[in-house]
Amino acid sequence: MTSASSELRPFRAADLGTFVLLAWMARNEEGDGRTPCLLACSLGDGPDGPEAASAAVERLIGDLGLHIGGEPVDGTTRPSLKVGMLVAAGQIVLQMPQISSQVTPPADWLRAVEKLGYTYFMLTTRVCPSTGPRRPVDGEALAVFAGSPETTDAAAHAFLPARSLRV
């Protein structure tokens, strides 16, 4: 007789499949400005499918010392945070142990992050809808996904400081 192990499998970046970053501007709570937001998620196209990709993101969240739900972690006052964001040459590079991902954000996002010095970051276990290999949905469907309570409730939240290359 065999039994299923309750032991968690160690995090493997390959389990994520395609890992994407989505950058957009959101109204801030005060309603007097816009906050640059960054969402990281999997397309669920890893070798073991969407459920395994979601579980891999959950393991990654734990390995980063973050938690799903609750108040955002303030990375601007926590230099030991294991996730960081570099903004250089019009690109965002998200850096975590075993993973680095980049995206070109809209110009207003770059201006806002330069002004504020940080972004509101979410890493969600919810798999992003896809239109094919390595292609997240775009337009209205992407906005619905990013703003959905199912996406935000399944995410770790943090304020990530914007770091740049020193010259």
Side-chain angles (χ1 to χ4, degrees):
M1 181 165 117
T2 61
S3 63
S5 171
S6 62
E7 183 178 326
L8 282 180
R9 191 169 132 175
F11 173 75
R12 295 180 328 141
D15 291 339
L16 294 174
T18 305
F19 191 70
V20 296
L21 298 178
L22 311 167
W24 78 97
M25 298 293 292
R27 265 190 235 298
N28 64 20
E29 289 181 5
E30 295 80 25
D32 60 355
R34 310 234 320 147
T35 301
C37 298
L38 185 63
L39 175 67
C41 59
S42 170
L43 293 184
D45 58 353
D48 296 324
E51 293 80 18
S54 180
V57 173
E58 190 168 353
R59 285 190 300 278
L60 176 59
I61 288 170
D63 288 354
L64 294 173
L66 298 173
H67 55 275
I68 294 172
E71 292 297 312
V73 171
D74 189 352
T76 66
T77 62
R78 195 168 143 194
S80 62
L81 193 63
K82 294 180 184 178
V83 57
M85 179 184 66
L86 176 68
V87 180
Q91 297 277 307
I92 305 165
V93 180
L94 186 69
Q95 301 167 315
M96 297 177 274
Q98 301 184 47
I99 299 172
S100 180
S101 189
Q102 70 183 52
V103 69
T104 302
D108 62 338
W109 191 97
L110 289 168
R111 285 190 297 275
V113 101
E114 183 177 348
K115 180 180 175 184
L116 291 174
Y118 66 86
T119 187
Y120 188 86
F121 172 69
M122 292 185 289
L123 174 57
T124 187
T125 61
R126 188 166 181 227
V127 171
C128 182
S130 174
T131 58
R134 304 181 62 86
R135 295 184 50 200
V137 298
D138 58 6
E140 185 62 29
L142 187 55
V144 168
F145 170 78
S148 150
E150 291 87 2
T151 300
T152 58
D153 290 350
H157 300 256
F159 294 103
L160 289 186
R163 295 187 174 92
S164 62
L165 297 174
R166 303 202 196 295
V167 181

